[in-house]
C-alpha cells in the first residue's frame, strides 16, 4: 500500500514513518513544510530506504497537494501536520487557524477530488485518517471521570479550538460528501524526537545545562502520558483496520501530575548523569514555579477501551520504562537537540542546511 503522511518530519509523524518503513512493506511519502518543529534528521533512519519519499510542501498549497495525490496515488492519507504547541497558540493564534483549519480543509478538498477519480476497488479501500488530540474535550475536574468518544467538545486554547474545528470539518466531509475518514484523539505523547519546548524534553535538557526547570502554577495539572511508539502502532492499526466514519480515543492509562513528571526526570538524571553542572547539588533544586498558563486545563484522562475492544490495541510501554528510554535518548542525541533548536539539519548529501 501507499501512505501519505503529512507532518512526517515532526515528533509523532516521524515515529509513524519509522514504524511503517521498518515494520511493513508499504511505501511512504511524507509531506511536510519543515516549520521550526519539523526536522529531516528525525527521518535519518529511514531516509535511504527506497520505499521512502519526502516533499517539502505546505498543506495549504492546494495545487501542490493535488499534484502529489495524482502522481503518488495514495491508498491512505494520515494527516498529522499541525501547529501543536499550546503556548505558541496563545502568543500567535493565526498560524494555528491557517495550518490546522485551512490546511485540513485544503487536504480534505484535494482528497475528495482525488477519491472521486479512483476506480471502484481503490476507491472502496481509500482512507483519510485525521490525527487529533484529547484537548478538544476541554478538561476534567473530577478524579475518576474519563474522556470517551462521546464526550462533548469544549476546547480551551486556540490550539485545541483549531484542532476541534479540523475534527468537525473531517466529520462533515464524511457525512456530507462520503469521504472515507477516520479520526483518532490521543492524550499527551512523550519519547524520542520531541521538540524541546515541551515539558519532558525541556526539563531534561534544562536540567543537564543547570538551567531552571519551569513548572506552571502549582504543578498539580494531570496529563495521561503515552509513549510515542505505542501511539504510532495504534495509528497504523486504525488506519489499516478501522471502520470508516469511526472515532477512537488513544491513551496510556497513565495519569501523572506535571510536578511528578519533573521529579521522575530529576531522579533519573541523578542516576544517569552524576557529574552535574557547576553549582547544582540536586537536579530538583532547579525546579522553579512560574505563572500559570492562561486557560490551563486541569486534568486530561482517556478511556481507551474502545480501541482495545475493537482492534486489540493497548500500550506496551510502562511510564517507568518509557521515561528511562526517553531520558537516555536525549542524553545520547544532543546534536539533534541543538540542530532542531537552531533550525538546521544535517543532510548526508549537502552537509548542514539552515531551514
Ligand atoms: P509537531 O509539532 O512535532 O510536528 C508537526 C509537523 O507538522 C512538523 O514536522 C511541521 O513541520 C509540520 N507542519 C506544520 N505546519 C505545516 C504545514 N502548513 N504544512 C505541512 N507541514 C506542516 O507535532 P506532533 O506532536 O508530532 O503532533 C502531530 C499531530 O498529533 C498533531 O496534529 C497534533 O495535534 C496531534 N497530537 C499531538 C499530541 C502530542 O502529545 N504531541 C497528542 C495528541 C495529538
Amino acid at each position: 500500500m501507499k501512505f501519505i503522511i503529512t507532518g512526517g518530519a515532526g515528533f509523532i509523524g516521524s515515529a509513524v514513518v519509522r514504524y511503517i518503513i521498518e515494520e511493513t512493506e508499504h511505501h511512504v511519502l511524507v509531506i511536510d513544510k519543515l516549520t521550526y518543529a519539523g526536522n529531516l534528521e528525525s527521518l535519518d533512519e529511514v531516509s535511504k530506504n527506497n520505499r521512502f519519499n519526502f516533499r517539502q510542501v505546505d498543506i495549504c498549497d492546494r495545487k501542490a497537494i493535488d499534484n502529489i495525490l495524482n502522481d503518488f496515488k495514495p491508498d491512505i492519507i494520515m494527516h498529522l501536520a499541525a501547529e501543536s504547541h499550546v503556548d505558541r497558540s496563545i502568543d500567535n493564534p493565526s498560524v494555528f487557524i491557517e495550518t490546522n483549519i485551512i490546511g485540513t480543509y485544503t487536504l480534505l478538498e484535494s482528497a475528495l477530488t482525488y477519491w472521486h477519480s479512483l476506480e471502484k476497488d481503490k476507491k472502496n479501500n481509500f482512507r483519510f485518517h485525521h490525527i487529533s488530540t484529547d484537548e478538544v474535550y476541554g478538561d476534567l475536574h473530577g478524579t475518576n471521570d474519563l474522556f470517551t468518544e462521546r464526550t462533548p467538545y469544549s476546547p480551551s486554547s486556540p490550539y485545541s479550538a483549531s484542532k476541534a474545528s479540523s475534527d468537525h470539518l473531517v466529520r462533515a466531509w464524511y457525512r456530507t460528501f462520503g469521504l472515507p475518514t477516520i479520526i483518532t484523539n490521543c492524550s499527551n505523547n512523550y519519547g524520542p524526537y520531541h521538540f524541546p519546548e515541551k515539558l519532558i524534553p525541556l526539563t531534561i535538557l534544562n536540567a543537564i545545562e543547570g538551567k531552571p526547570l519551569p513548572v506552571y502554577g502549582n504543578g498539580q495539572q494531570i496529563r495521561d502520558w503515552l509513549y510515542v511508539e505505542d501511539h504510532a502502532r495504534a495509528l497504523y492499526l486504525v488506519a489499516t483496520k478501522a471502520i470508516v466514519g469511526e472515532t477512537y480515543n488513544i491513551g496510556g492509562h497513565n495519569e501523572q501530575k506535571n510536578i511528578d513528571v519533573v521529579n521522575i526526570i530529576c531522579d533519573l538524571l541523578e542516576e544517569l548523569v552524576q557529574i552535574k553542572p557547576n553549582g547544582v547539588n540536586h537536579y530538583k533544586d532547579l525546579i522553579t514555579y512560574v505563572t500559570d498558563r492562561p486557560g490551563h486545563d486541569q486534568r486530561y484522562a482517556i478511556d481507551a477501551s474502545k480501541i482495545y475492544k475493537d482492534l486489540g490495541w493497548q500500550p506496551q510501554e510502562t511510564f517507568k520504562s518509557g521515561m528511562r528510554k526517553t531520558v537516555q535518548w536525549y542524553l545520547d542525541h544532543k546534536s539533534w537537540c541543538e540542530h532542531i533548536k537552531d533550525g538546521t539539519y544535517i543532510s548526508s548529501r549537502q552537509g548542514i542546511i539552515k531551514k
Side-chain angles (χ1 to χ4, degrees), residues 6-13 31-39 57-60 79-85 99 131-134 159 163 185-190 193-195 197-198 231:
T6 73
F11 168 47
I12 301 171
I31 296 178
D32 199 296
K33 184 179 175 182
L34 294 180
T35 68
Y36 80 94
N39 197 299
V57 164
D58 186 333
I59 54 164
C60 299
H79 173 35
L80 295 100
E83 288 292 333
S84 69
H85 191 49
T99 287
I131 284 81
S132 191
T133 164
D134 62 350
Y159 163 65
K163 290 296 293 186
N185 297 87
C186 188
S187 59
N188 281 45
N189 283 217
Y190 70 101
Y193 300 101
H194 205 180
F195 192 88
E197 65 190 346
K198 306 281 169 80
H231 190 194

